Amino acid sequence: MGKGYNVTGVFMRNWDSLDEKGVCSTEKDCEDAYRVCQSLDVPFHQVSYVKEYWHEVFSNLLKEYERGRTPNPDILCNKHIKFNHFHKYAIDTLGADAMATGHYARTSQEDDEVFEQAHTAPPTTLFRDRFEIRNPVKLYKGADLLKDQTFFLSQIPQQALRQTMFPLAGLTKEFVKKIAAEAGFHHVLKKKESMGICFIGERNFENFILEYLEPKPGNFVSIEDGTVMGTHKGWFTLTLGQRARIGGQRDAWFVVDKDIVTGDVFVAPTTNHPALFRDTVRTERFHWVTEDPPPELARTQMMDCHFRFIHQMPLVPCTVTLNMDGSVWILLSQPVRALTPGQFAVLYKGDECLGSGKITQLGPSEFTLQKGRERMVAAFQHKEQSTPEPDS
């Protein structure tokens, strides 16, 4: 690294998977990592968290699908595996002072400060000593805003962040590729961008999930008039906002809601139907990267900031309300399409990623509000018509 650090490379595997041809892509990745370490003359280790991944990430993912939600395995993998099991392995087993990952993100610590920290044992008492002055480490967007990965890091523990360096913080993807080319790592440069869920690979999602969950057939129902439009294999094969494949329909229909009691999946006839737009979400207990909610939110229970629930979506201005149980209500400045329970609401204040909370509840859709207004108007008109004229 040219910064005077002693570096050790570690390859982490989380999933035993074979692609269609029976070839394990993890083997190829591991081989690539080993070759890089060899040419840099850096020690190389590998660790397997297949068991932990299955119990702490994947089984949780299946449970969420069964509840009608759409989980985010990448956020959960960073929270439970990379910045928990792997972090402990790096610090405790390898005796490292810090771990470095290839995320495009920054922290409030300079790299040198990561090493200068005195290693204090976690407090044994329930409350941290009020006099123990420790400025929490903040998480900031990386310089390459297009590749910024703070979204995926929004659930990681403060203790792990304190001991993490992001060498790519100030670099763009293009520049990183240039460095790799100059170092002669052409075998790595040829790799495709991996965007999908790592363990599914090229497979179709419906086929993949049906390997793990029993099919639960149900009806596609029109949100507009309750007509049964067709059938599906299980609500968990579908997510809000996606196009529903309904036999015999010329027009495109989109998933707008699910009823996991009846198995009905509600659909609407256009991609931007008002039933897909909402401006309020509630999360479960919110995870603040710095451990405590921002001072202004703690003081007044309200705060203005920005929101996203998908990795690269544009940030939306919002107002956050802190509830007694640590959960938050988020009111968006404009209705957003396909807000989805199970996904994470990630909050930003300027360049700082404040943390995230899993979305558990949605406010009413524009369609519901519109129907409510129409009913009120109709009732009002009906009342006016039925009021007898007073005798003159």
Side-chain angles (χ1 to χ4, degrees):
M1 270 168 76
K3 290 241 186 110
Y5 299 128
N6 286 335
V7 181
T8 295
V10 185
F11 182 78
M12 178 175 90
R13 66 181 76 226
N14 296 330
W15 189 262
D16 282 331
S17 64
L18 302 174
D19 63 17
E20 274 60 66
K21 303 182 198 71
V23 179
C24 178
S25 55
T26 319
E27 289 308 325
K28 171 92 181 73
D29 293 342
C30 188
E31 182 63 29
D32 289 341
Y34 177 61
R35 282 170 65 183
V36 170
C37 286
Q38 268 195 314
S39 63
L40 291 174
D41 199 20
V42 159
F44 176 77
H45 297 267
Q46 41 178 321
V47 285
S48 169
Y49 294 116
V50 171
K51 195 165 90 255
E52 291 82 352
Y53 190 91
W54 180 270
H55 290 300
E56 296 172 44
V57 178
F58 195 70
S59 59
N60 170 301
L61 171 117
L62 295 178
K63 278 199 204 78
E64 288 284 281
Y65 276 117
E66 287 187 309
R67 289 187 187 125
R69 298 180 182 167
T70 304
N72 188 311
D74 302 309
I75 289 182
L76 295 174
C77 180
N78 281 325
K79 177 190 179 89
H80 295 295
I81 311 295
K82 193 171 284 179
F83 290 86
N84 176 31
H85 292 293
F86 177 74
H87 169 254
K88 292 187 172 96
Y89 166 81
I91 306 295
D92 301 339
T93 307
L94 293 179
D97 293 303
M99 71 176 212
T101 72
H103 289 99
Y104 288 88
R106 238 167 15 98
T107 74
S108 55
Q109 272 178 322
E110 292 295 318
D111 287 353
D112 300 340
E113 294 174 26
V114 181
F115 288 93
E116 285 162 12
Q117 301 178 71
H119 285 284
T120 48
T124 45
T125 54
L126 191 54
F127 296 101
R128 281 184 307 201
D129 180 356
R130 285 278 172 259
F131 302 107
E132 180 199 347
I133 301 164
R134 288 187 79 175
N135 288 333
V137 175
K138 296 180 173 186
L139 178 64
Y140 294 110
K141 296 178 198 162
D144 189 335
L145 291 175
L146 226 63
K147 280 296 294 178
D148 169 60
Q149 287 172 309
T150 49
F151 177 83
F152 299 116
L153 300 171
S154 61
Q155 281 276 322
I156 69 175
Q158 171 68 201
Q159 187 49 36
L161 188 64
R162 296 189 79 82
Q163 299 176 311
T164 298
M165 307 161 74
F166 298 120
L168 305 187
L171 309 179
T172 61
K173 177 96 186 191
E174 284 314 301
F175 191 72
V176 173
K177 284 182 158 171
K178 221 178 97 194
I179 298 173
E182 283 168 10
F185 300 147
H186 300 289
H187 63 291
V188 185
L189 284 169
K190 288 202 281 281
K191 290 168 109 84
K192 295 203 306 287
E193 282 271 323
S194 67
M195 288 297 260
I197 301 177
C198 50
F199 48 76
I200 298 182
E202 302 297 313
R203 275 176 296 183
N204 158 312
F205 177 74
E206 181 178 309
N207 297 346
F208 173 80
I209 202 75
L210 287 169
E211 287 179 29
Y212 297 94
L213 297 177
E214 284 300 307
K216 292 214 169 72
N219 291 325
F220 281 122
V221 178
S222 163
I223 191 88
E224 295 196 327
D225 58 12
T227 315
V228 173
M229 311 291 300
T231 57
H232 60 80
K233 291 182 186 165
W235 64 80
F236 42 76
T237 64
L238 300 150
T239 188
L240 300 189
Q242 85 175 73
R243 185 170 173 172
R245 295 184 202 284
I246 306 177
Q249 284 298 323
R250 276 220 325 275
D251 303 326
W253 286 73
F254 294 83
V255 177
V256 298
D257 213 346
K258 306 175 186 183
D259 182 334
I260 67 169
V261 179
T262 60
D264 290 344
V265 169
F266 295 96
V267 291
T270 50
T271 179
N272 282 335
H273 191 279
L276 269 172
F277 286 82
R278 302 170 191 258
D279 65 5
T280 315
V281 297
R282 187 182 180 141
T283 68
E284 61 180 28
R285 189 180 176 85
F286 202 86
H287 171 83
W288 302 101
V289 170
T290 58
E291 290 185 347
D292 297 315
E296 95 178 85
L297 182 61
R299 206 173 51 244
T300 67
Q301 270 66 62
M302 284 183 100
M303 172 181 76
D304 293 326
C305 56
H306 284 82
F307 159 94
R308 66 162 53 115
F309 76 107
I310 294 170
H311 165 42
Q312 284 174 324
M313 90 177 233
L315 289 168
V316 179
C318 67
T319 301
V320 176
T321 308
L322 183 61
N323 302 316
M324 292 299 289
D325 61 359
S327 66
V328 301
W329 276 107
I330 302 171
L331 179 62
L332 305 168
S333 64
Q334 70 215 52
V336 168
R337 183 180 186 275
L339 291 165
T340 305
Q343 293 285 312
F344 286 83
V346 183
L347 297 178
Y348 292 83
K349 188 91 174 167
D351 268 350
E352 184 186 355
C353 175
L354 299 173
S356 64
K358 192 199 300 165
I359 298 174
T360 50
Q361 251 181 306
L362 304 177
S365 72
E366 294 292 286
F367 183 65
T368 303
L369 294 172
Q370 193 179 308
K371 280 205 309 200
R373 280 193 291 270
E374 285 163 8
R375 278 180 62 166
M376 275 172 70
V377 169
F380 184 69
Q381 285 170 344
H382 179 73
K383 192 171 158 223
E384 290 219 312
Q385 285 159 3
S386 60
T387 312
E389 290 293 311
D391 296 329
S392 49

